[in-house]
Amino acid sequence: VLAARLHDNHDLRVEQVPDPTHLGPNEVRVRPRWCGICGTDLHEYAHGPLYVPKENLPQILGHEFSADVLEVGSDVSGVKVSDRVAVLPHVFCGTCYFCVRGRQGLCRSLRLTGVSWPWGGLAEEAAVPAYQCIPLPDEVSYEQGAILEPLASVVHAVERSTRAGDRVLITGAGPIGQLAVLATAAAGASEIYVSEPNRVRRQQAERLGSSAVFDPAATDVGEEVRERTGGLGVDASIECSGSQAALDACVDATRAAGYVAQIAIHVGPRTVVPETWTWKDLTIAGIWSFKFYDTPRILRQVAAGKLPVERIVTSKIEVTDIVSKGIERLADPSGDQVKILVSLHPDGHGGGEG
Amino acid sequence: VLAARLHDNHDLRVEQVPDPTHLGPNEVRVRPRWCGICGTDLHEYAHGPLYVPKENLPQILGHEFSADVLEVGSDVSGVKVSDRVAVLPHVFCGTCYFCVRGRQGLCRSLRLTGVSWPWGGLAEEAAVPAYQCIPLPDEVSYEQGAILEPLASVVHAVERSTRAGDRVLITGAGPIGQLAVLATAAAGASEIYVSEPNRVRRQQAERLGSSAVFDPAATDVGEEVRERTGGLGVDASIECSGSQAALDACVDATRAAGYVAQIAIHVGPRTVVPETWTWKDLTIAGIWSFKFYDTPRILRQVAAGKLPVERIVTSKIEVTDIVSKGIERLADPSGDQVKILVSLHPDGHGGGEG
Amino acid sequence: VLAARLHDNHDLRVEQVPDPTHLGPNEVRVRPRWCGICGTDLHEYAHGPLYVPKENLPQILGHEFSADVLEVGSDVSGVKVSDRVAVLPHVFCGTCYFCVRGRQGLCRSLRLTGVSWPWGGLAEEAAVPAYQCIPLPDEVSYEQGAILEPLASVVHAVERSTRAGDRVLITGAGPIGQLAVLATAAAGASEIYVSEPNRVRRQQAERLGSSAVFDPAATDVGEEVRERTGGLGVDASIECSGSQAALDACVDATRAAGYVAQIAIHVGPRTVVPETWTWKDLTIAGIWSFKFYDTPRILRQVAAGKLPVERIVTSKIEVTDIVSKGIERLADPSGDQVKILVSLHPDGHGGGEG
Amino acid sequence: VLAARLHDNHDLRVEQVPDPTHLGPNEVRVRPRWCGICGTDLHEYAHGPLYVPKENLPQILGHEFSADVLEVGSDVSGVKVSDRVAVLPHVFCGTCYFCVRGRQGLCRSLRLTGVSWPWGGLAEEAAVPAYQCIPLPDEVSYEQGAILEPLASVVHAVERSTRAGDRVLITGAGPIGQLAVLATAAAGASEIYVSEPNRVRRQQAERLGSSAVFDPAATDVGEEVRERTGGLGVDASIECSGSQAALDACVDATRAAGYVAQIAIHVGPRTVVPETWTWKDLTIAGIWSFKFYDTPRILRQVAAGKLPVERIVTSKIEVTDIVSKGIERLADPSGDQVKILVSLHPDGHGGGEG
């Protein structure tokens, strides 16, 4: 089958690999339909291998995808052949401290499909643990299903920071920030402010339902937010950019006793002023992954039309174009792309009808 | 000024009363625009005085209303003349155990405008404590403002029972149940089931966004809910009817480790099986009032279009018709009315333009 | 091996049964040391079989016990031969809705050792799933370990009702109520009131650290509690008696916005006044079992000396005396027993040195 | 009356000031008994004025004190002459966003007795708002009452980070860290590790109930903690030192999904690695002050013997010795002092008998 494999940084090849065979008793063979390109994929391509173990190279990428189930292992009971599913990347042990407490995303021996597992979503077929397959309700398309993984992380950030009725600041309007606009709205936020330097992304955030968008290069975000909130600040902020300035803006713009959710991965150290955390009695929540078994309920929200996640998609491409039309466009800081979905079956069997 | 005063049960008179004068330093004089008729008003009319102290008779009714501010006392700073406001009924001390903890609705010497305070919303003018006046955002109409009080109670019930993504059962689709449909939706519920014997109310609940409505006379609610939830039951249920059967249905239909919010006022004793609470590790939340100072954030949600509360209004009448076109129609169990708003200024100064 | 088997009500025989053989790969063979007699054992003896499935008779009883590990199945890794362990009774699937969310005690196909599993703690040996074995810290005795199961339920009740600094009412001072005295104290309760008609139990509750004890036959519990709390009521109450009067007392004695944890199993219906729940904005928590994987942390509290659970033990007997010196004494409402531990190895190999 | 007034840094004079007169209607005149010296007092002396407004100089210091009530203003009802009280320093408006929500410690116009209010606890008499006076239960001594203010901050930190049964790391064993040992123990912590470079302070922490103490100069705190917790890390850590190394150690030593409470005031910027917060799904809580009206419940815990706060006191001195025997000894990093209480009535009327 065709697969996009990372051989080294700047060396991603779309090439034939042997079919998945010898399915384990608790595994399934799936046919990926749509697979999203994630920011970490860009990092692996530009600076990697980072989270991809060196010894795994060449690694099939792709950890945000929907699929059809083609075959199930002998002990599989939760999914069946021809099920339409979202595939979550988590490979977890089920018995460690975190797994038995319902926090499988923090499994002490966590691996990730598309990062540190033999298969990934950027392949015509893949073999994955059956529990990774979350059935898609009829109302949910393959495209929407491919966005479940980042959506679930954002929902986790929202749960740890935001209460219905809150005024919220989102810094960074890449795919995570755009999903944060949708997820805070779905959770009842009353006002959603977005700070983002890229004009195209600001416009998209506005279309998705932001109350106001700011260019942090032109605006003092904290001041602007205070002006719009009677001098108080927002109840919660969600940092989705990974920049020092945005982290500072979140702490500055959030009211006392408020919440800052830190979901972007910040590469390297940052300078902070903990004294401000103290004066504000602030809560800062580092956000990793999500509660694995919350994903069916999130899909139900998508099915009910409350999380129109397909609206963050700016392009749909074929896997053979993944570098030129995918990674390179996303890596351009002044570019116009937010989320690009890759079809694994460009011959017409892709998710178009999904 | 004209006012609707309860003299005794079945004796509600719309009559002239002396104007409010001698405003206290922390009071304001307001001109009510729209005032809702509440279920407790029906009880007071049919069986009262109940919560109205006998010695207060004749009592001006009306505790759900919007108004214009006409005059402010000498020490008032939070509102000013000509402000458009929702008026909340709570008269609280500000210094008791509950008030200093932000739970003014539980004030140990709580009184209520329209129930146990000289003035009420069913009058052309009223004198009330200034803090009762919550300014209406420009986007919020007087009609919407008149519904803030019951809405806030429902939001409190939702907060104590429901998490974004939940499947929810609402029993009873009177005004509280209809608001619960809106409030659970705004808080991110993924599926909303409504049980209600009256066909007209079921239809309205459906229009407001319920996923499914049931007639409890024809359906075993618990069975129906389990069938729709993979045998599990809903995550949360909100009892808005006041009947034994509905309370039973909520406990039956809610999954283990779920939540039952009990907001309807049940008159008299009920029979329960606490063993079921135990097996289910269930949480039951009696719901009284709300966090008083959450109301501005709730109004912001209304302003943002997330809580279209005006949609529960089935009729708008003049105060002179309050008994014949208001109370009597609402008291009819087979009737077609849910929430009736009363105009205090039927001469054209009413809230029509609000 | 010798075992106490329920053949029918009033027919509990201490008799030889075949040794446990054919250990499953995830099972262990244990030698029970001390096993507590639980209130449900009394019910099974007097009125059963109730929770014991009829087809299981004769059923080995005993679901609160400590043991030594004698042999481990081929796939067992968490425990090893000669480990000192508390054995929890839960047999759970590990994959249902509740198990994957860390609520194994609510497993949809839950069975219980000593109730609906071939073996129980009232036997010289038993075969149980390995995960049921929670290693005892060195500082924790076998006697203490035998009390882990009821203790964990009580800790779950405390977590769902009580905050450090709270004033608490406990109704009923049987073993659950006595443990509630210890567990609320360990969780930081500032005052602990106990209502119990039996004088001996009141005295024991007092010795364990209650601030005050009341005889509900002689005292209006609600009034007494209000008098001691400046008219306010307790922050939380824990119903451990199973009687109508005690349930009423808890609701009456708890302040507005407080918590009532209902842990006793109430046989049959009860009459309640939900209007009171409403006025008080009360939370009622039905308590079933506990978070299975919280038990190691609870044992650490025992090890640290913060939960001296051995102090609730009033007698230690041999298994051959279980009916005459165990069940019959506990069933006597005017008796002087609270918790009786049964030794499975009365020849000197019992837990005496533990 | 005699008072200790800060004229400028290194210029603290014990001198006569005019008596408090012209008591406001909601004020009381008190006679301070014992007053603690706080770390911020040291900062004001060494580097100030910092939080003391320049225009207030000379400022009477002292914001941790107990007192007798000598006289009450005309509108005071909550306290009466001769009441024994702890005096909290918060001067709050009662009507701002935070005050009406029960968070008076975050009042938008907060001032503090002993910092930015004409009077302080280091004076023979003082005039303060009546609500600052929290009556001492009979069982609570004046010395204990003088420690209520820092204790309440620590309890707030514990509430935002620690759950009964937790294993906890405390970094820094100054007065705040020592109180954290007591408060985590009272809240049910099962193991309490303390990291502190000063040997005397480590020994004191051990005496107060720590499970283990480490010298961070000699030990890798994160490694040590992981070794003691099966490789997992603590559930919660409380940073009480204000140093970069301790902040790092807390983040390092805390398990995934755990809590770091940051209560020490860090002067200046710190370098952090937010990527770690992310991987760990960590919650960091900046801790400012406390819920003002939680203080009576905290005093009840002291009364019940659960928070023996007097045990952190290492010296008791007279106000005339405040610099030489108080501030200078506390400022010595290798010193043997933790908490020094100052008597305002060294002639025998001090709190000795309290």
Side-chain angles (χ1 to χ4, degrees), chain C residues 159 163-164 166 188 294 297, chain D residues 159 163-164 166 188 294 297 301:
Chain C
E159 285 209 337
R163 182 181 159 223
D166 272 359
D294 272 355
R297 59 190 286 135
Chain D
E159 285 209 334
R163 179 181 160 224
D166 272 359
D294 271 356
R297 60 189 287 134
Q301 288 184 282

Side-chain angles (χ1 to χ4, degrees), chain A residues 134-149:
Chain A
I134 312 295
L136 295 178
D138 292 345
E139 302 86 345
V140 177
S141 72
Y142 288 109
E143 287 90 335
Q144 291 175 317
I147 303 171
L148 177 60
E149 199 269 348

Side-chain angles (χ1 to χ4, degrees), chain D residues 279-326:
Chain D
W279 296 136
K280 288 199 166 183
D281 207 56
L282 201 66
T283 302
I284 300 173
I287 305 297
W288 169 247
S289 190
F290 45 84
K291 290 183 181 162
F292 192 88
Y293 288 101
D294 271 356
T295 48
R297 60 189 287 134
I298 296 170
L299 284 180
R300 280 197 294 271
Q301 288 184 282
V302 177
K306 307 203 169 193
L307 286 166
V309 291
E310 73 287 356
R311 297 184 62 194
I312 74 162
V313 177
T314 45
S315 289
K316 292 160 87 170
I317 64 172
E318 300 185 6
V319 67
T320 44
D321 297 326
I322 184 162
V323 173
S324 61
K325 296 194 181 168

Side-chain angles (χ1 to χ4, degrees), chain A residues 181-269:
Chain A
V181 173
L182 297 175
T184 50
S190 62
E191 294 183 35
I192 301 168
Y193 309 122
V194 175
S195 168
E196 161 64 51
N198 177 309
R199 190 178 51 83
V200 175
R201 293 182 164 197
R202 280 202 306 277
Q203 290 171 338
Q204 185 176 11
E206 212 156 15
R207 280 195 302 273
L208 294 189
S210 308
S211 314
V213 296
F214 321 131
D215 178 357
T219 311
D220 179 317
V221 175
E223 281 306 311
E224 181 73 29
V225 162
R226 273 187 290 279
E227 195 165 302
R228 289 168 177 271
T229 54
L232 188 71
V234 287
D235 304 292
S237 56
I238 304 180
E239 207 304 89
C240 309
S241 87
S243 75
Q244 173 78 53
L247 182 57
D248 294 347
C250 285
V251 171
D252 183 36
T254 303
R255 68 163 167 81
Y259 291 78
V260 174
Q262 156 58 46
I263 186 168
I265 293 184
H266 282 249
V267 179

Side-chain angles (χ1 to χ4, degrees), chain B residues 28 69 72 76-81 83 85 130 133-135:
Chain B
V28 298
V69 176
V72 304
V76 170
S77 59
V79 291
K80 58 185 191 309
V81 171
D83 273 3
V85 297
C133 297
I134 312 295

